[in-house]
Amino acid sequence: MSQFDQDLTGKVAFVTGAGRLRGIGHAAAIALARRGADVAVTGTGRDPATFPDDEKAVGWRDVQSTADHVREHGRRALPLVFDVTDAAAVDAAVARCVAQLGRVDILVNNAAVARGADRVPVTELDADVYQRVVDVKLRGTFLCARAAVRQMYAQDEGGKIVNISSIMGKRGAPNTLAYNAANFGVIGMTQSMAREFGPRGINVNCICPGAVATSRMDDIPLDRRPKRTRPGDPVTRWGTDEEVGEFVAFLCTEAASWIHGQSINHCGGSFMEH
């Protein structure tokens, strides 16, 4: 195999937060499947009554539908519903992935709390809302990494981890304290994991997207979405989930094996600082 090979045949990926039709998790799962990986896709089991109109229109079934899309590419898929903040549930989900798909080679930590009640001034931020945002992003990333890496160590064949943060993990903003705290934390965790797991052949990186047109952003009406994320941005549009998903998949290939411990801006140039 060439060191620049992007084929993932024989690999098994575990992707969290993959239940939305328009979402980075779904897009990453499909991009990984196109490269040959089998994929376990996870979600929280959303109430169908809360689905956006486009999901309702196609009879969307959360992670079951993402799994169907993976299978359309000729790959095995395993839909899993659990809470990433529940240690026992995470360990059980990874064990089920190993039992049914044989192994774990790739972990994509994408789970996050939906925008909403956390986007308020600090003086109005509910402590439980703050804690949930931080728990899903940080505790969830920790628990999933712990379970997946234990399996990768047992396999002793290396692996790949991609954590999803945000440009808001590098730049604070008003009314986003919980989101900033969670995403800054993911970047620090990525660096710690990279130094610890790298000697065992496990690549660890982080992607920091800017504004991406996923269903997470549906609270911003189309007519209010700026052509640029801020005045002066060099690329005059929001990103797409497919663009981020493809980059996730690339970081999981041998072609990206010398990219390690990095938190990479993926934002159309709206943020260029390291």
Side-chain angles (χ1 to χ4, degrees), residues 8 28-39 69-71 73 75:
L8 294 174
I30 302 312
L32 289 162
R34 278 200 297 265
R35 285 169 171 79
D38 299 322
V39 190
H69 286 180
V70 168
R71 296 181 187 113
H73 292 278
R75 308 314 310 168

Side-chain angles (χ1 to χ4, degrees), residues 99-160:
Q100 297 199 26
L101 300 181
R103 54 191 298 117
V104 176
D105 303 283
I106 294 163
L107 170 65
V108 179
N109 279 310
N110 177 63
V113 173
R115 288 163 49 95
D118 65 311
R119 305 306 170 96
V120 297
V122 172
T123 53
E124 300 173 17
L125 180 59
D126 182 85
D128 290 338
V129 170
Y130 165 85
Q131 195 63 55
R132 183 62 180 169
V133 171
V134 171
D135 281 351
V136 170
K137 203 71 180 173
L138 298 186
R139 180 178 169 87
T141 292
F142 153 63
L143 291 174
C144 290
R146 185 179 69 173
V149 169
R150 284 171 174 168
Q151 177 61 29
M152 292 177 190
Y153 280 0
Q155 294 165 187
D156 199 22
E157 297 177 12
K160 305 285 184 178

Side-chain angles (χ1 to χ4, degrees), residues 177-237:
L177 180 106
Y179 189 68
N180 281 140
N183 284 289
F184 269 78
V186 169
I187 290 174
M189 293 173 74
T190 296
Q191 294 178 13
S192 179
M193 291 180 193
R195 292 193 179 278
E196 183 173 340
F197 304 155
R200 296 290 295 266
I202 299 172
N203 280 124
V204 187
N205 289 292
C206 179
I207 297 177
C208 299
V212 180
T214 66
S215 57
R216 276 179 59 84
M217 306 295 281
D218 283 353
D219 61 318
I220 302 176
L222 290 174
D223 61 359
R224 288 181 49 211
R225 297 184 183 186
K227 291 183 179 179
R228 292 177 171 88
T229 52
R230 60 181 178 176
D233 285 351
V235 176
T236 59
R237 63 174 177 83

